[in-house]
Amino acid sequence: MSFKDQLNTNKIPEHVAIIMDGNGRWAEKKGEHRVFGHTKGVESVREALTAAGEIGVKYLTLYAFSTENWNRPKEEVDALMDLLVKTITMEVDSLNENDVRLHVIGDLDSLPPGCKEALEESIEETKNNTRVNLILALSYSSRWEITRAIKNIVEDVQNGDLNSDDIDTETIDNYLNTVNFPEPELLIRTSGERRISNFLLWQLAYSELYFTETLWPDFKKENFFEAIYNYQKRERRFGKTSAQLLSDD
Ligand code: FPP
């Protein structure tokens, strides 16, 4: 039986985040250029998005480009930016047909102007869709996001718009790029690496972490369902005991 058929439809996570890793290694193993791996990675983005829609995952966040990725060879950075713009522009009709709303988190101002404009256009064109929210983390890092939030909080305290005694965890939530999204219940990372790599550090506080050896270009719908199946077997305690959870039911 497939993993999809074994899923408990009452326990589908609302938000899944993915660190799409292993494009470069996948390509190098085949004797190809790293950029070929990123191109193939786009197909896996489509697979994950379709799979999320099929089982009712409402939010899918994909780590597409980190702040640190700017340090890669210029040729690879340019190719990735080009791929992003082309994919987003080409896929906008398909996003609309499938009722997918596009969002971006990250330092959009650091993207090449053409890339930023293409993204803003697609965000606008998909803004009425409601089935799945596809959140691309682009030029994103959690430390960048938290630093920016702190600066904005300090500014608002200084302006008198915020009272420092009122700052609590919800205040921090409200200053992050993810303010409109629930916290991910599940984080998937492909390619065998077991790190968070500066991704959603605050938001992943209680998330289940799922690591798979599969390289991102090989990640298909059934791999996504397998991760959800694995997640459903876990007990999420949020600091409570198992007995407390049973009595809460
Ligand atoms: C990590 O693999 C992947 C990336 C840095 C880029 C991910 C981008 C895509 C899948 C394509 C565009 C995406 C969208 C949303 C249109 P890596 O290069 O770090 O692989 P390695 O660890 O094997 O070197």
Side-chain angles (χ1 to χ4, degrees):
M1 214 189 331
S2 70
F3 284 107
K4 188 183 181 194
D5 293 336
Q6 295 177 70
L7 292 181
N8 176 349
T9 50
N10 297 316
K11 255 179 94 175
I12 300 294
E14 192 180 17
H15 186 173
V16 176
I18 308 183
I19 301 179
M20 311 181 285
D21 199 7
N23 292 348
R25 272 165 288 164
W26 183 90
E28 281 158 9
K29 266 192 186 174
K30 294 194 155 23
E32 299 278 355
H33 196 276
R34 295 175 55 82
V35 174
F36 180 62
H38 298 313
T39 310
K40 290 301 276 186
V42 174
E43 283 171 30
S44 300
V45 169
R46 224 173 273 129
E47 293 265 335
L49 183 58
T50 315
E54 279 178 18
I55 59 169
V57 170
K58 297 291 292 179
Y59 298 86
L60 181 69
T61 298
L62 303 179
Y63 206 1
F65 194 85
S66 73
T67 315
E68 291 77 19
N69 286 154
W70 289 114
N71 300 323
R72 291 193 174 193
K74 185 178 179 311
E75 186 198 24
E76 184 173 342
V77 171
D78 289 349
L80 261 170
M81 288 298 143
D82 194 48
L83 185 63
L84 273 162
V85 175
K86 283 201 178 117
T87 308
I88 297 299
T89 315
M90 258 169 53
E91 297 287 330
V92 75
D93 288 342
S94 154
L95 294 179
N96 279 329
E97 275 159 31
N98 291 290
D99 204 6
V100 177
R101 180 172 180 181
L102 179 71
H103 308 262
V104 174
I105 55 171
D107 185 7
L108 269 189
D109 289 332
S110 68
L111 297 174
C115 184
K116 188 179 169 212
E117 279 158 28
L119 281 164
E120 282 171 345
E121 220 167 277
S122 303
I123 289 170
E124 178 65 24
E125 282 177 42
T126 61
K127 70 174 184 208
N128 295 321
N129 299 336
T130 58
R131 184 154 163 259
V132 186
N133 290 279
L134 171 64
I135 304 154
L136 295 185
L138 270 177
S139 193
Y140 171 89
S141 82
S142 208
R143 290 184 178 175
W144 166 83
E145 178 187 37
I146 293 170
T147 308
R148 174 184 164 276
I150 292 171
K151 279 188 184 158
N152 290 338
I153 289 173
V154 170
E155 203 177 294
D156 283 354
V157 169
Q158 283 170 345
N159 293 338
D161 294 334
L162 180 66
N163 185 336
S164 60
D165 291 336
D166 295 336
I167 297 175
D168 56 15
T169 57
E170 204 180 314
T171 317
I172 316 277
D173 286 337
N174 291 335
Y175 280 81
L176 296 176
N177 280 208
T178 48
V179 53
N180 297 314
F181 315 127
E183 287 173 7
E185 292 99 320
L186 172 65
L187 169 78
I188 300 171
R189 182 171 189 154
T190 57
S191 90
E193 306 294 349
R194 291 163 184 256
R195 289 187 293 277
I196 305 293
S197 298
N198 213 348
F199 186 47
L200 302 175
L201 297 179
W202 174 273
Q203 298 87 339
L204 293 174
Y206 286 103
S207 308
E208 296 296 328
L209 308 181
Y210 176 84
F211 300 104
T212 170
E213 298 295 319
T214 306
L215 302 175
W216 181 248
D218 289 329
F219 194 87
K220 305 291 167 212
K221 274 166 45 171
E222 191 59 5
N223 299 93
F224 185 87
F225 297 136
E226 182 177 8
I228 307 289
Y229 178 79
N230 183 291
Y231 159 84
Q232 290 188 337
K233 296 280 166 247
R234 302 189 191 182
E235 181 183 62
R236 305 190 72 215
R237 289 206 293 269
F238 300 99
K240 292 185 177 181
T241 65
S242 295
Q244 280 177 308
L245 288 180
L246 282 173
S247 63
D248 286 351
D249 282 345

